[in-house]
């Protein structure tokens, strides 16, 4: 519809230009004299230039866009460069070049509009650069560049939109957390609780015949003497330090903070040498199995760059379904949410187990304090040995430190 009105306006202005040219010529012919012919010859160059601008084919331009990076983190600066090349150096008085932003970026008022007025004249190659500061998290696709020009007096103006596609991701920001594998202590007012995450030890559960590759220290000398053949101890490997992060994706105005904290948790856990699983359920179900490699972390970050708070299922129902699955795998659950509902608290009380430490992180905006209702529910969880911690944006690095509650 917009292109149709632009065509109508273009035809109208072209007809108006020809009409005014014909009027000045007719006036000179019928009136005669110096003044009338002076007006005609003065208007004629303007009319001819405007007519040439109207006939000049903008669609022959070759328009490309280059971006300084293929991947960004939240808050980084994007520098875009639009290059316009043309074969014939027709003198253009001005050129308005605008990079059409995706809808998500165009809604952000703090971002400077990538639109500039250039004066190319006879230049064959025209370059326009712009900056977008503090890029938001998400998947962004630039598809079009809009170019507009016209004559000096606005008698003719033309606008053409070119296809120029660039796709990139903005990954979530992360902060360094002082995460350790051995044990964590959280202080909630006057109460504190500890949770042991793993035991780096083994336990002998029987004996068996010696096999090549068995260590010398594993030999059971008493059994060897009794049976007259070499016997070794058989061990049961204790629970490894496996952690699963479950992120709440129900609609929330603190969702960006939840993503940031979840990304920080994932990075710190992998960095500590532990194995990590990740559960993110919204309009689509994304579950990452236990892993410890850098590639595994990058897959989680890729998901966090694209995810949104679009879950139609309550976090309590998701926890009720997923927690038993991960508890059966001997993984320590870390729940990240922005709201403690009574339903969630009841389900955690029922699903909690002494053999599986459970941690709940209540994410708040910077400077926001927990409500009295949340304090009551946090105390309920703490009494059931479910470690509950309120963390505020700007203070995520204190998540695993002994600090007072918000």
């Amino acid at each position: 519809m917009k292109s149709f009105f632009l065509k109508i306006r273009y035809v109208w202005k072209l007809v108006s230009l020809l009409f005014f040219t014909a009027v000045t010529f007719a006036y000179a012919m019928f009136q005669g004299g110096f003044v009338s012919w002076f007006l005609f010859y003065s208007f004629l160059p303007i009319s001819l230039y405007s007519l040439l601008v109207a006939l000049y084919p903008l669609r022959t331009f070759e328009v490309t866009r280059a971006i300084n990076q293929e991947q960004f983190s939240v808050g980084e600066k994007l520098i875009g460069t639009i290059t316009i090349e043309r074969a014939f150096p027709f003198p253009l008085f001005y050129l308005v070049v605008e990079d059409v932003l995706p809808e998500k970026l165009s809604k952000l008022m703090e971002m400077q509009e990538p639109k500039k007025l250039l004066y190319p004249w006879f230049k064959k190659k025209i370059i326009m650069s712009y900056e977008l500061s503090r890029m938001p998290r998400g998947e962004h696709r630039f598809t079009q560049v809009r170019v507009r020009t016209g004559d000096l007096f606005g008698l003719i103006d033309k606008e053409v939109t070119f296809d120029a596609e660039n796709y990139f991701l903005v990954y979530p920001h992360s902060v360094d957390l002082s995460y350790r594998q051995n044990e964590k202590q959280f202080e909630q007012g006057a109460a504190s609780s500890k949770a042991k995450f793993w035991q780096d030890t083994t336990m002998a559960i029987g004996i068996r015949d010696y096999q090549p590759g068995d260590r010398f220290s594993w030999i059971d000398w008493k059994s060897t003497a009794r049976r007259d053949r070499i016997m070794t101890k058989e061990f049961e490997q204790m629970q490894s330090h496996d952690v699963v992060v479950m992120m709440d994706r129900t609609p929330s105005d603190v969702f960006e903070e939840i993503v940031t904290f979840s990304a920080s948790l994932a990075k710190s856990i992998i960095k500590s040498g532990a194995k990590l699983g990740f559960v993110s359920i919204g309009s689509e179900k994304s579950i990452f199995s236990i892993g410890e490699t850098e590639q595994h972390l990058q897959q989680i970050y890729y998901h966090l760059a694209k995810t949104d708070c679009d879950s139609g299922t309550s976090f309590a129902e998701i926890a009720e379904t997923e927690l038993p699955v991960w508890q059966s795998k001997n993984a320590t659950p870390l729940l990240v949410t922005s709201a403690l509902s009574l339903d969630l608290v009841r389900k955690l009380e029922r699903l909690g187990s002494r053999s599986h430490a459970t941690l709940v992180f209540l994410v708040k905006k910077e400077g926001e304090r927990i409500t009295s209702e949340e304090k009551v529910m946090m105390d309920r969880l703490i009494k059931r040995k479910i470690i509950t911690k309120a963390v505020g944006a700007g203070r995520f690095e204190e998540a695993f430190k002994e600090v007072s509650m918000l």
Side-chain angles (χ1 to χ4, degrees), residues 3 31 33 52 60 65 72 129 133 147 154 156 176 215 222 224 266 281 298 300 303 321 324 341-342 350 355-356 373:
S3 60
Q31 182 69 22
L52 291 175
T60 59
R65 181 198 301 103
F72 295 84
S129 296
S133 59
V147 176
I156 292 293
D176 293 329
R215 295 182 182 179
K222 291 182 179 180
T224 298
I281 298 178
Q298 288 303 316
I300 294 174
H303 166 73
T321 303
S341 66
L342 184 58
R350 182 165 54 84
S355 61
H356 299 90
E373 291 81 4

Side-chain angles (χ1 to χ4, degrees), residues 54-297:
L55 298 176
Y56 184 63
L58 291 183
R59 292 194 175 276
T60 59
F61 288 5
E62 293 184 7
V63 180
T64 57
R65 181 198 301 103
I67 295 176
N68 59 321
Q69 297 173 212
E70 292 183 357
Q71 297 179 354
F72 295 84
S73 294
V74 170
E76 288 188 340
K77 181 186 297 183
L78 179 146
I79 301 176
T81 303
I82 295 176
T83 303
I84 301 175
E85 296 186 31
R86 51 183 182 151
F88 180 69
F90 179 79
L92 292 175
F93 176 70
Y94 74 90
L95 202 65
V96 178
V97 182
E98 178 186 2
D99 202 348
V100 181
L101 292 179
E103 183 179 358
K104 185 175 181 179
L105 292 180
S106 62
K107 290 181 179 179
L108 298 178
M109 301 302 294
E110 66 271 14
M111 302 190 71
Q112 183 180 359
E113 189 177 12
K115 185 177 182 180
K116 286 189 177 181
L117 175 64
L118 306 175
Y119 303 97
W121 290 106
F122 290 94
K123 291 180 181 178
K124 282 189 175 183
K125 188 174 183 179
I126 306 160
I127 299 176
M128 187 268 273
S129 296
Y130 63 89
E131 293 182 359
L132 297 178
S133 59
R134 300 188 60 80
M135 291 296 296
R137 180 191 61 86
E139 181 181 24
H140 306 294
R141 190 183 301 274
F142 288 8
T143 58
Q144 294 180 326
V145 175
R146 188 177 294 122
V147 176
R148 184 162 57 90
T149 189
D151 61 353
L152 180 61
F153 297 97
L155 298 174
I156 292 293
D157 61 76
K158 302 174 63 177
E159 182 179 299
V160 177
T161 301
F162 297 90
D163 293 330
E165 186 165 338
N166 289 85
Y167 167 82
F168 61 92
L169 281 174
V170 179
Y171 287 90
H173 173 65
S174 63
V175 298
D176 293 329
L177 305 180
S178 56
Y179 182 85
R180 297 171 301 177
Q181 290 188 18
N182 294 332
E183 62 179 29
K184 309 287 180 287
Q185 180 173 345
F186 300 88
E187 182 181 342
Q188 303 291 346
S192 64
S193 59
K194 293 185 178 181
K196 201 165 185 179
F197 285 88
W198 76 318
Q199 292 177 312
D200 189 13
T201 184
T202 54
M203 168 181 266
I205 60 172
I207 57 173
R208 58 175 173 80
D209 290 334
Y210 175 86
Q211 296 178 359
D214 287 347
R215 295 182 182 179
F216 184 79
S217 60
W218 293 355
I219 297 176
D220 188 329
W221 295 106
K222 291 182 179 180
S223 299
T224 298
R226 284 198 305 267
R227 302 192 182 191
D228 199 27
R229 64 179 187 272
I230 299 177
M231 306 296 293
T232 61
K233 298 174 185 177
E234 192 172 10
F235 298 97
E236 181 183 64
Q237 184 68 35
M238 298 298 287
Q239 177 184 344
S240 62
H241 183 56
D242 295 344
V243 182
V244 57
V245 174
M246 299 179 62
M247 186 179 73
D248 185 1
R249 281 176 55 185
T250 53
S252 169
D253 58 356
V254 198
F255 185 68
E256 291 303 321
E257 286 78 5
I258 288 177
V259 172
T260 299
F261 186 70
S262 299
S264 303
L265 274 179
K267 180 180 178 181
S268 300
I269 291 169
I270 294 291
K271 188 177 179 181
S272 73
K275 295 181 180 180
L276 172 69
F278 200 91
V279 176
S280 171
I281 298 178
S283 59
E284 83 290 338
K285 187 175 183 179
S286 300
I287 298 179
F288 299 85
S289 58
I290 294 291
E292 57 183 338
T293 64
E294 186 66 26
Q295 183 181 5
H296 182 64
L297 179 62

